[in-house]
Amino acid sequence: MKDINFNDLFRYNYRPLCLYALHYIQDVDLAEDIVQESYTALWEKLQDGAQVLNRKSYLYMMVRNRCLDHIRKKTIPTESLKPYDTYGIIEDDDAQERSQTEARIWTAIENLPEKCREVFIMSKRDGLKYEEIAEELGLSVNTVRNQISKALKVLKEGIHKVYMFFFA
Amino acid sequence: MSDFEDKHLDFVLKHYQEGRFDTQKAIKSFNEANGIVLKPRRRVLPWVSGIAAAVAVLCIFLFRDNVRQIQLMADTEVQEFVLPDGTEVTLAPGSKLTYSEKSPRMTQLEGMAYFEVARDEAVPFEITSDGVFVKVLGTKFAVDASSSVKEVYVTEGKVLFAKSPDAEGVILTKDMQAAISPEENTPVIAAEPDVNSIAWKRGSFIFDNTPLIEVLETLSEHYKVSFEASDLDKRLSGVFYTEDLDLIICLIESALDIHIVKR
């Protein structure tokens, strides 16, 4: 069992894998279940002594297959299979990179100050107008506007362009 | 060009729900479902303790092609050094740092170290290790090359982390962490950096509403002991100094009203 550290496999990949699954199934609960199942399947495989060269890619593959299975089950056979996202168009590596970026955005949103996050989510996710948010939270429209631009600034600064050469 | 593309943000926002995709919760249910018990983890540094008057050789000189090589090492305790360029290095026990007298900003690391690199725009500071290449101008960060998964944690400034000098790398800034395993070519940035990966240097553990199971895992890894607790569902916040494990245990027990046994 040398060199199997599931804690690290989770810590670096759990959230990205959940976001990867979301691109296929758009259901947070189901995404978590599928990712958890995939980790368990990998664990059992390794317990049986199987060799898995790239555990991360293997996890992504398992998550994708499970998502597609799920979509197939729910789709009426005559209807053509259309995953929500760009399956087949986006390369595996790009999909992994995208999931990692999105996982960092998720974390960055989570780390916003509470009030700021609340206002931001009401505006950007729930589509409420500034006036509506201001009324619901008892704030001025100006405060709402400021909180949203603050959130956007923090998020954009927090998520850096990462794949590049240094001093280039 | 920015990789912060609005489509990524829009996608995340569309699905964002408070408290979901909680990695620690997922680890906990994974461990429970698969009957995994908490035990000390991977790092196999020769963390020897209780040796009275251990003779620590801290610096030796070697010669390669007639150029003097300087090797700094930490034996059983954390050791701090200042390099000729003013860079401060803290070595974890069992770690070594080597450089040649000719180019003191090109170093080789074995084990785990924390760097506060003196700024020199003209000469980047480089660290190489097996499967690790790190390049900076002037900044503060930790490198952990003590196990097969190599990690870098940045506390200040900007760091390039790659597998080798000619491989594609990632840029890390304040409070970012990345790791590379032997099977990968590019380091992966952690979505959730672990502030306690540099507890050995900072001299303290920081917990912020951290699940107890994770707290014990952190302590277990640091002190190489296992724990059993009467209730793992509680959460802990606070700063604890690394010097005295028994005191930490005592404080946690009384703060959370639980019982913890060392194994």
Side-chain angles (χ1 to χ4, degrees), chain B:
Chain B
M1 195 179 80
S2 154
D3 87 329
F4 184 87
E5 291 177 28
D6 286 346
K7 64 175 185 194
H8 292 142
L9 177 61
D10 289 347
F11 181 78
V12 174
L13 270 169
K14 193 173 135 206
H15 296 283
Y16 183 81
Q17 288 177 37
E18 208 80 44
R20 299 309 302 265
F21 295 169
D22 184 330
T23 307
Q24 291 309 326
K25 258 193 210 154
I27 292 176
K28 188 165 170 261
S29 52
F30 177 81
N31 287 346
E32 280 169 6
N34 294 293
I36 300 167
V37 258
L38 201 59
K39 55 179 193 288
R41 289 207 279 136
R42 64 198 156 102
R43 294 197 177 100
V44 253
L45 287 177
W47 217 288
V48 190
S49 61
I51 298 175
V55 183
V57 182
L58 298 178
C59 179
I60 58 171
F61 302 100
L62 311 156
F63 283 88
R64 187 183 297 157
D65 302 332
N66 269 338
V67 178
R68 195 157 73 147
Q69 304 277 318
I70 294 116
Q71 189 166 78
L72 307 172
M73 57 184 91
D75 187 4
T76 58
E77 284 174 5
V78 172
Q79 295 283 350
E80 292 180 12
F81 301 91
V82 179
L83 304 186
D85 65 342
T87 293
E88 292 174 31
V89 180
T90 310
L91 289 179
S95 304
K96 282 180 200 169
L97 187 78
T98 312
Y99 59 91
S100 93
E101 203 165 37
K102 253 184 168 173
S103 45
R105 278 169 80 88
M106 293 177 73
T107 63
Q108 289 91 47
L109 172 69
E110 283 173 50
M112 195 150 84
Y114 182 83
F115 296 86
E116 292 190 26
V117 173
R119 194 160 192 91
D120 184 343
E121 303 275 349
V123 189
F125 189 94
E126 296 180 5
I127 301 152
T128 47
S129 184
D130 183 27
V132 178
F133 175 73
V134 171
K135 183 166 160 180
V136 304
L137 292 176
T139 171
K140 300 179 184 179
F141 59 98
V143 178
D144 180 358
S146 64
S147 67
S148 65
V149 176
K150 322 287 183 187
E151 278 188 301
V152 172
Y153 186 104
V154 176
T155 52
E156 202 180 295
K158 209 188 234 183
V159 171
L160 170 79
F161 176 22
K163 189 167 198 166
S164 61
D166 46 9
E168 196 178 356
V170 296
I171 303 284
L172 304 176
T173 54
K174 187 172 161 43
D175 292 328
M176 284 174 86
Q177 183 177 31
I180 186 165
S181 59
E183 68 205 14
E184 285 165 333
N185 292 319
T186 314
V188 175
I189 296 175
E192 297 143 287
D194 178 8
V195 288
N196 288 317
S197 57
I198 52 164
W200 65 272
K201 154 67 188 169
R202 193 176 46 227
S204 61
F205 298 105
I206 300 171
F207 300 115
D208 180 10
N209 200 25
T210 309
L212 185 60
I213 189 158
E214 197 192 329
V215 171
L216 292 180
E217 231 167 52
T218 301
L219 297 177
S220 171
E221 185 177 340
H222 191 93
Y223 296 103
K224 312 293 173 234
V225 287
S226 307
F227 299 99
E228 269 179 24
S230 58
D231 181 357
L232 282 175
D233 288 329
K234 300 195 167 170
R235 287 172 174 262
L236 183 74
S237 294
V239 176
F240 300 87
Y241 294 106
T242 53
E243 287 131 41
D244 190 344
L245 174 61
D246 291 328
L247 179 63
I248 297 176
I249 298 287
C250 211
L251 289 168
I252 298 176
E253 283 182 326
S254 64
L256 300 181
D257 191 24
I258 53 163
H259 192 56
I260 298 171
V261 185
K262 261 197 291 180
R263 293 281 166 199

